[in-house]
Amino acid sequence: SSHPAHCSVVQRASAMKLWLSSLGSEAVEFETAESDTVGQLQAAIRQRWEVHEKTLVKVVHDTSVYEDAEETLVALGIEDGTHLMAILENPGPILLKAQNLRCGGSAKDLQLAVRGGRLSHQADRLKVELTLKDGAPSDAEFFVTLREGDAVLAREKLSATDRQATFGEKHEIVRLAKPDTFFSLEYTLGSAQNRVAEWTCLIFYVNSSIEVPSQTCGRLSNRDVVLPHRDRGFVRIRTRDGS
């Protein structure tokens, strides 16, 4: 006679217990059914481990990565007692992109080229590329700024002679780039008119190998946005959830 503790399993013949671990964690038992899909298992992992909504959950068995959410576990040969690995990967980078910048307002005003969305995770590195038309005048200035609300947390000035710059964990602007902060590209063109062909900044998250941008932020509008030096340039729009 079967032990009473096994009654629920007997009544539900298709029930399976799987063991799941992620990098650096102990294996945890998950109760599933043979008819469950990869997507349902991903949802269970997300709920139990309180995974951020933007973090990708990949299910790995041996060397196989199961990406098809519709595939059933049993069709993939996953049996009761199988050990699986869950890889949690943060999204691809945020791309800030501005083109054909020109001077609007006083030549010395700090102007906003583009503002990015709020970060969902800690930043890992920044990659900035600047393409200038006909060479930049000596009085042009370019900045990458990290903000939280109206406060400036860090700002890096790019040399007009630098066409590419990379910032990593040794730079304050990356170390302070935590969830809910955001980046903006700001500039003064001085005597230049239409001198910047393209300016991009890729913001890569930690724990992500994805190169394709998960979010692209273009110029706010065709009008130039002038930032007063006292940093009153951003109007915070309050949404229903208070963010």
Side-chain angles (χ1 to χ4, degrees):
S1 65
S2 63
H3 193 278
H6 294 296
C7 285
S8 61
V9 177
V10 171
Q11 288 161 5
R12 190 182 174 209
S14 62
M16 291 196 301
K17 287 186 179 178
L18 305 176
W19 293 93
L20 269 128
S21 58
S22 65
L23 290 172
S25 77
E26 297 272 325
V28 178
E29 193 178 275
F30 273 76
E31 287 212 4
T32 62
E34 287 180 355
S35 59
D36 281 357
T37 63
V38 170
Q40 286 172 306
L41 179 58
Q42 288 169 325
I45 293 168
R46 194 176 288 280
Q47 183 177 4
R48 181 157 172 187
W49 288 349
E50 297 180 346
V51 177
H52 191 282
E53 62 180 356
K54 290 189 176 179
T55 300
L56 304 176
V57 178
K58 296 182 178 179
V59 177
V60 181
H61 183 221
D62 294 333
T63 56
S64 300
V65 180
Y66 299 133
E67 306 260 15
D68 186 353
E70 302 299 317
E71 195 87 70
T72 62
L73 301 177
V74 68
L76 293 169
I78 296 172
E79 303 171 338
D80 187 49
T82 298
H83 280 250
L84 301 171
M85 173 75 77
I87 296 177
L88 308 180
E89 184 161 39
N90 287 338
I94 294 177
L95 171 62
L96 307 187
K97 186 173 184 177
Q99 294 171 298
N100 297 322
L101 299 181
R102 64 187 182 282
C103 197
S106 166
K108 292 183 179 178
D109 278 336
L110 189 61
Q111 299 180 71
L112 177 63
V114 60
R115 170 190 158 154
R118 290 192 294 185
L119 273 59
S120 58
H121 299 81
Q122 170 70 43
D124 178 63
R125 68 189 190 281
L126 308 179
K127 184 179 177 185
V128 184
E129 291 194 23
L130 190 60
T131 305
L132 303 172
K133 293 179 180 177
D134 307 323
S138 59
D139 54 355
E141 293 182 318
F142 305 97
F143 302 91
V144 180
T145 304
L146 176 69
R147 293 171 181 265
E148 184 169 28
D150 297 326
V152 173
L153 301 182
R155 179 175 273 148
E156 287 282 352
K157 182 177 179 179
L158 303 172
S159 164
T161 57
D162 282 345
R163 299 295 182 267
Q164 294 183 333
T166 302
F167 302 100
E169 58 184 17
K170 67 180 181 181
H171 297 96
E172 186 179 48
I173 198 166
V174 172
R175 287 200 307 273
L176 295 179
K178 301 186 185 307
D180 287 333
T181 61
F182 61 91
F183 284 94
S184 58
L185 304 181
E186 301 161 11
Y187 68 102
T188 64
L189 277 186
S191 58
Q193 294 292 325
N194 266 334
R195 289 300 180 98
V196 177
E198 185 170 272
W199 186 6
T200 61
C201 177
L202 279 166
I203 303 149
F204 294 91
Y205 287 123
V206 296
N207 300 330
S208 179
S209 61
I210 302 168
E211 297 287 329
V212 178
S214 60
Q215 183 182 8
T216 299
C217 302
R219 194 146 171 70
L220 291 177
S221 71
N222 292 326
R223 294 172 56 209
D224 292 283
V225 180
V226 177
L227 295 179
H229 284 293
R230 290 187 296 280
D231 285 323
R232 291 183 312 203
F234 289 118
V235 177
R236 299 200 69 188
I237 299 170
R238 194 161 289 283
T239 54
R240 270 186 203 156
D241 63 1
S243 61

